[in-house]
Amino acid sequence: MGFERCWRNLGQRLGMNVLREVHAHFGESAVRRRRYRMTETSRMSRRPGPSREARRASRMGPLPEGLRPVRPGMWGGRYRPLTESDVLKIHRTALRLLAEVGLADMPPSGVEVLTSAGCVLSETGRLLFPATLVEETVAKAARRFVLHGQHRQHDMEPWGSKVYFGTAGAAVSIVDARGNYRDSALQDLYDIARVVDVMEHIHFFQRAVVPRDLPDPYEMDFNTCYAAVSGTTKHVGSSWIHPDHVSRSLEMLHAVAGSENKWRQRPFVSQSNCFVVPPMKFASDACLCMHRAVKGGMPILLLSAGQAGATAPAALAGALAQEVAEVLAGLVFVNAIQPGHPAIFGTWCFVSDLRTGAMSGGSPEQALLSAASAQMAQFYDLTGGTASGMTDSKLPDAQSGAEKAYCHALVGNAGANLIYESAGMHASLLGFSFESLVIDNDIIGATQRTIRGIEVDEDTLSFETIREVCINGPGHYLGSEQTLRLMQSAYLYPGVGDRRSPNEWAEHGSTTISARAEKKVSEILATHYPAHISGAVDAAIRDSFPVRLPRPAMVAR
């Protein structure tokens, strides 16, 4: 039986007066809910009030903080793909790899730092990490550090099994709602940051696309960071290919913060650093950039991105053990430079499609490895970062939604602290979609609701509510105090997802989710121009640095 028929039968049984009363209450609440179809007679007899569209617009607005059913940093950890014994086996294998295989290709300055800390340089030039050194480093490593936003309401506390979702990537193309690909540009990067700035369920912004219109490496590095911190007040992640580029960007960040001291008190940018070239080799330039960032007070994402079946073993446990070893080596390096410096345990275990060797970011194996990565970070009691949502689909379609949903559900419920790549990514990280950014915000919100789970207490067990309705009440829960209270605080509603009946959907143009997301993106980009960096500060930055983002593109027209 269709929903509308069920609803009409319920109306006949309960009486339209009751339904009108509930409908009026729902309409006056600033929340999203299903629009119930009403007959022309009941519509005419309804008491005067705001128009239907006005009520819909009101319900689509953000809820007050205290009423939101999901929030940043909710506690996950219910899903455990590894047993405690499995975790210990992976840990011990990682220690053996570090002690017996070690890592190659560390630049001389890094060799000096690590050998002074207790590493041994083998005859073959590989740095070996004694197990005692690794375990001592883990014991003294930074814990429970805040990742700051430029505005305090966006500060994150990524420890334990608290979960935050954000962007990341180095996509080289933008894909539109119709599947057309073009080169990504600096303006795209800034616009993505602007959209992220207003997405409720995307909690931080890491560089998502490469500005291919900037061929000069320094200008690309500097402007990537500049556009990101200009486009959002949420925490930002960026990357650099040369230590001098890091230094120049730090000077700009000091200006944004107000001074170097203020920056060091609340660093709102972290360095995403691919310091290893799997399997088990250091990336020399990245290590030099890491050294400069640590000295500059910038948190470090220690990112190892081995690809199972290509640059890591095809066996998932082996791939995880290798990447844990690589990230532990990075942790030793960071703490040898500056003991207790904030570092994120970034095991990004990627997956190959073994039929072709190509990356498969939307595979179930990817979901398992990222969820297991969360467990390993929790084992060490370190802030962990991993990847999820890297669909292999080329555009926002059913494949994209399915792959992102099951990956986010597993990784989020595993309690990963920082989930990167979670919105907008397509084609196994080669493409980025503005429309998906908005659609994925819905998927992430739904995932957060599953992370929250079901609260079981005296109130939610509802004995008194059931007794009142069944014995003294009208025989339904539509107008009960509990229903009206929980519809705001316990139920989550989509932003661009459609829950209308087929008839009502058709009456409103039979729009696809991509079309609705495209409209939403256009509205945001036409109206939202962050102004947290003053014009005077921005002008001073432009006088000192090669800013390539035109000022007129950053202000309302």
Side-chain angles (χ1 to χ4, degrees):
M1 183 181 294
F3 172 79
E4 292 185 1
R5 183 178 173 188
C6 290
W7 189 250
R8 286 196 301 270
N9 290 346
L10 183 61
Q12 294 169 2
R13 183 166 63 87
L14 301 179
M16 287 306 300
N17 287 336
V18 172
L19 290 186
R20 283 198 296 272
E21 180 181 349
V22 175
H23 185 277
H25 184 100
F26 284 12
E28 293 165 0
S29 300
V31 298
R32 308 181 191 103
R33 57 100 179 109
R34 183 189 300 276
R35 280 178 55 196
Y36 298 115
R37 294 180 59 82
M38 303 176 65
T39 65
E40 286 300 322
T41 301
S42 65
R43 191 179 293 120
M44 293 296 293
S45 63
R46 187 177 58 204
R47 67 190 183 191
S51 69
R52 174 183 295 178
E53 291 307 317
R55 291 194 303 275
R56 178 187 291 276
S58 174
R59 292 191 299 272
M60 292 301 289
L63 288 170
E65 182 66 31
L67 291 180
R68 295 178 184 178
V70 297
R71 299 174 180 84
M74 300 180 73
W75 287 85
R78 291 186 177 91
Y79 173 59
R80 319 298 283 173
L82 301 173
T83 67
E84 291 184 8
S85 175
D86 294 337
V87 170
L88 285 172
K89 290 174 182 176
I90 290 168
H91 165 64
R92 290 166 183 159
T93 301
L95 292 181
R96 281 193 63 196
L97 288 170
L98 288 169
E100 299 176 26
V101 178
L103 277 76
D105 295 347
M106 173 60 85
S109 60
V111 171
E112 182 179 353
V113 169
L114 285 171
T115 54
S116 297
C119 288
V120 176
L121 188 63
S122 72
E123 294 180 356
T124 59
R126 303 183 71 90
L127 278 166
L128 306 179
F129 296 71
T132 54
L133 172 62
V134 177
E135 291 173 333
E136 288 171 1
T137 298
V138 170
K140 69 181 181 183
R143 287 174 171 80
R144 290 164 177 76
F145 52 84
V146 174
L147 289 178
H148 300 281
Q150 290 183 70
H151 289 173
R152 290 182 182 274
Q153 72 261 31
H154 297 311
D155 287 358
M156 299 185 292
E157 299 178 342
W159 54 75
S161 58
K162 293 182 181 181
V163 181
Y164 298 87
F165 288 84
T167 60
V172 295
S173 299
I174 297 292
V175 55
D176 65 23
R178 286 154 289 283
N180 300 310
Y181 275 70
R182 62 169 174 81
D183 287 353
S184 53
L186 182 62
Q187 185 69 48
D188 295 315
L189 178 63
Y190 174 66
D191 288 346
I192 294 166
R194 288 200 287 147
V195 176
V196 168
D197 199 47
V198 298
M199 292 292 101
E200 178 182 356
H201 307 306
I202 302 176
H203 308 128
F204 62 93
F205 175 66
Q206 181 157 304
R207 182 276 314 269
V209 298
V210 175
R212 298 182 70 184
D213 52 339
L214 298 180
D216 179 78
Y218 165 56
E219 291 192 1
M220 178 182 288
D221 282 355
F222 177 86
N223 281 276
T224 294
C225 184
Y226 168 83
V229 300
S230 298
T232 181
T233 59
K234 296 179 180 181
H235 185 81
V236 161
S238 198
S239 62
W240 294 263
I241 65 169
H242 193 282
D244 290 346
H245 303 176
V246 179
S247 296
R248 295 290 281 164
S249 297
L250 281 167
E251 293 175 26
M252 179 266 293
L253 295 174
H254 298 164
V256 172
S259 68
E260 180 178 357
N261 184 53
K262 289 181 179 179
W263 154 260
R264 287 183 177 272
Q265 290 174 356
R266 290 181 52 83
F268 47 85
V269 177
S270 55
Q271 183 184 81
S272 176
N273 192 295
C274 296
F275 66 99
V276 288
V277 180
M280 305 291 283
K281 293 187 293 183
F282 285 108
S284 297
D285 290 343
C287 289
L288 295 173
C289 289
M290 184 191 301
H291 195 288
R292 191 70 57 89
V294 170
K295 291 299 185 181
M298 184 180 288
I300 304 294
L301 166 61
L302 295 166
L303 201 165
S304 171
Q307 188 171 312
T311 55
L316 301 187
L320 190 59
Q322 176 186 303
E323 296 203 22
V324 167
E326 290 167 346
V327 176
L328 286 172
L331 190 70
V332 173
F333 184 43
V334 166
N335 281 272
I337 299 168
Q338 181 66 52
H341 185 80
I344 300 161
F345 197 80
T347 42
W348 292 27
C349 303
F350 290 160
V351 171
S352 300
D353 184 321
L354 298 182
R355 299 169 301 180
T356 64
M359 178 187 167
S360 176
S363 64
E365 294 83 9
Q366 180 66 67
L368 285 167
L369 279 170
S370 293
S373 294
Q375 273 190 266
M376 295 308 301
Q378 292 159 16
F379 170 74
Y380 295 116
D381 189 26
L382 296 171
T383 292
T386 191
S388 177
M390 306 167 290
T391 181
D392 301 316
S393 177
K394 311 308 177 286
L395 71 165
D397 58 7
Q399 178 186 345
S400 171
E403 291 177 351
K404 292 182 180 185
Y406 66 67
C407 285
H408 285 346
L410 294 187
V411 181
N413 279 281
N417 298 134
L418 299 163
I419 301 179
Y420 297 84
E421 314 272 15
S422 69
M425 300 307 295
H426 282 274
S428 308
L429 302 183
L430 293 177
F432 187 93
S433 163
F434 281 89
E435 291 74 28
S436 277
L437 195 59
V438 175
I439 296 169
D440 296 345
N441 182 67
D442 271 7
I443 296 174
I444 293 167
T447 301
Q448 288 181 286
R449 186 60 187 89
T450 71
I451 293 170
R452 174 178 167 178
I454 299 174
E455 291 89 4
V456 179
D457 56 31
E458 193 67 23
D459 178 62
T460 61
L461 287 170
S462 308
F463 179 86
E464 293 299 332
T465 301
I466 297 169
R467 180 168 66 177
E468 178 66 21
V469 164
C470 293
I471 296 177
N472 301 318
H476 66 86
Y477 300 91
L478 290 172
S480 75
E481 180 277 333
Q482 184 191 67
T483 298
L484 300 177
R485 170 168 44 87
L486 294 183
M487 68 173 289
Q488 298 185 17
S489 61
Y491 286 73
L492 183 70
Y493 307 94
V496 292
D498 192 299
R499 292 181 174 178
R500 294 175 293 192
S501 71
N503 286 342
E504 192 172 11
W505 172 70
E507 289 171 4
H508 286 80
S510 306
T511 58
T512 65
I513 192 169
S514 292
R516 295 190 295 274
E518 186 177 25
K519 180 181 178 182
K520 182 65 175 178
V521 169
S522 295
E523 291 170 352
I524 293 169
L525 295 182
T527 58
H528 183 63
Y529 289 89
H532 53 283
I533 299 175
S534 72
V537 169
D538 188 72
I541 291 172
R542 290 173 181 273
D543 286 343
S544 301
F545 302 99
V547 174
R548 299 305 180 215
L549 188 64
R551 183 63 185 171
M554 303 174 67
V555 295
R557 294 168 179 81

